[in-house]
Each structure stands twice: as structure tokens, then as C-alpha cells.
């Protein structure tokens, strides 16, 4: 009886080694690369969404600051002329404030801001804008009561 070994290498527990094992390792590496790529693409998507939200929040903050600026101007102006000077669209001080809004916020000139003094001393300020490359119109509304 002669002991003849096959040309195929057999590892412990009967598993094949060599070409078959190299193929399995290659498939495992390819699956790992695909999963890693999907994870990286997901992170890129989250980063893009985060940058968009930062831009939108910047415009909201600017709109709030502009509305607060108008309220402060109204409080420091003579009480007798507040309602007429700041009323939109014809108030003289409104026109100056409107120019600062339209120069600060993108797309604000399409829908000019409004100042409702019909329920004076309660005043409602509405600022509308549309960010560049954005289809949605954003709006900030502030209501204040003047002393």
C-alpha cells in the first residue's frame, strides 16, 4: 500500500486552502469595500444636509435681528408718529428698514416685508425670503407690543 497524496492541499478539518481560500478572501474584501463606501456616502449626505441647515438658520437669525431692529427703532421714535412712520408700504422709516431687509436677505425683494400697525400698539412684522437655489419661501413673523 502506497501513500499517495493528492495535489490539492487539505487543511485541518477538511477545508481546502489555496485558490479557493484566496477567492473567498477577495469576496470578503470586496464586500467590506462596498460597505465602507456606503458608509462614506452616508456621511457625505449628512454633511451636505448639515451645511444646508446652517445656511437656512443663518437667514432666520438675520430675519429675527432685522425684526428686532425695527421694533427697537419704533420704541425709540416719538409715540405720536410710530404707526404712520413705520407702516408698510408708505411709512418713511419703513422704506429705510425695507431697504436693509432686501439687501440682507436673498429673495426678500420679491415679497417685501410688511409691518402691520392696524392693532397698534401691537405690531406684527413679517419678513419673507427665498435662499439661493431653494424652491421654498421662508417666512419670519414677529409680534410685539410697544409701550
Amino acid at each position: 500500500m502506497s501513500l499517495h497524496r493528492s495535489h490539492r492541499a487539505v487543511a485541518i478539518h477538511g477545508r481546502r486552502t489555496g485558490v479557493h481560500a484566496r477567492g473567498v478572501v477577495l469576496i470578503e474584501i470586496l464586500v467590506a469595500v462596498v460597505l465602507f463606501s456606503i458608509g462614506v456616502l452616508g456621511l457625505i449626505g449628512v454633511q451636505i444636509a448639515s451645511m444646508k441647515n446652517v445656511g437656512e438658520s443663518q437667514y432666520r437669525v438675520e430675519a429675527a435681528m432685522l425684526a428686532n431692529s425695527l421694533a427697537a427703532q419704533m420704541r425709540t421714535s416719538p409715540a405720536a408718529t410710530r404707526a404712520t412712520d413705520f407702516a408698510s408700504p408708505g411709512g418713511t422709516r419703513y422704506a429705510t428698514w425695507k431697504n436693509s431687509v432686501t439687501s440682507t436677505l436673498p429673495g426678500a425683494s420679491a415679497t417685501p416685508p410688511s409691518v402691520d400697525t392696524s392693532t397698534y400698539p401691537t405690531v406684527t412684522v413679517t419678513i419673507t425670503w427665498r435662499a439661493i437655489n431653494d424652491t421654498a419661501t421662508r417666512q419670519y413673523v414677529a409680534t410685539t407690543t410697544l409701550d
Side-chain angles (χ1 to χ4, degrees):
M1 200 184 287
S2 77
L3 293 174
H4 184 279
R5 292 198 170 193
S6 164
H7 291 294
R8 295 184 202 170
V10 177
I12 301 174
H13 303 295
R15 293 186 184 158
R16 294 182 183 176
T17 60
V19 175
H20 180 70
R22 284 183 283 185
V24 170
V25 170
L26 182 61
I27 290 172
E28 288 175 353
I29 290 173
L30 288 174
V31 168
V33 167
V34 167
L35 291 175
F36 179 76
S37 299
I38 290 170
V40 168
L41 289 174
L43 287 174
I44 290 171
V46 167
Q47 182 68 22
I48 290 171
S50 174
M51 289 172 50
K52 181 180 177 186
N53 287 336
V54 165
E56 289 177 7
S57 67
Q58 175 189 354
Y59 294 136
R60 276 192 296 274
V61 167
E62 288 174 356
M65 289 177 53
L66 288 163
N68 288 338
S69 168
L70 178 72
Q73 290 175 32
M74 291 180 85
R75 283 189 177 95
T76 58
S77 69
T81 61
R82 284 180 189 164
T84 56
D85 285 350
F86 291 95
S88 58
T92 55
R93 305 227 14 221
Y94 164 80
T96 305
W97 176 77
K98 179 185 127 186
N99 289 337
S100 66
V101 171
T102 56
S103 66
T104 303
L105 294 172
S109 58
T111 306
S114 68
V115 179
D116 182 10
T117 58
S118 64
T119 57
Y120 185 80
T122 301
V123 177
T124 303
V125 179
T126 305
I127 302 173
T128 306
W129 72 94
R130 183 181 319 189
I132 301 168
N133 298 327
D134 193 0
T135 57
T137 301
R138 311 290 181 201
Q139 187 175 62
Y140 180 83
V141 179
T143 303
T144 187
T145 301
L146 303 173
D147 301 326

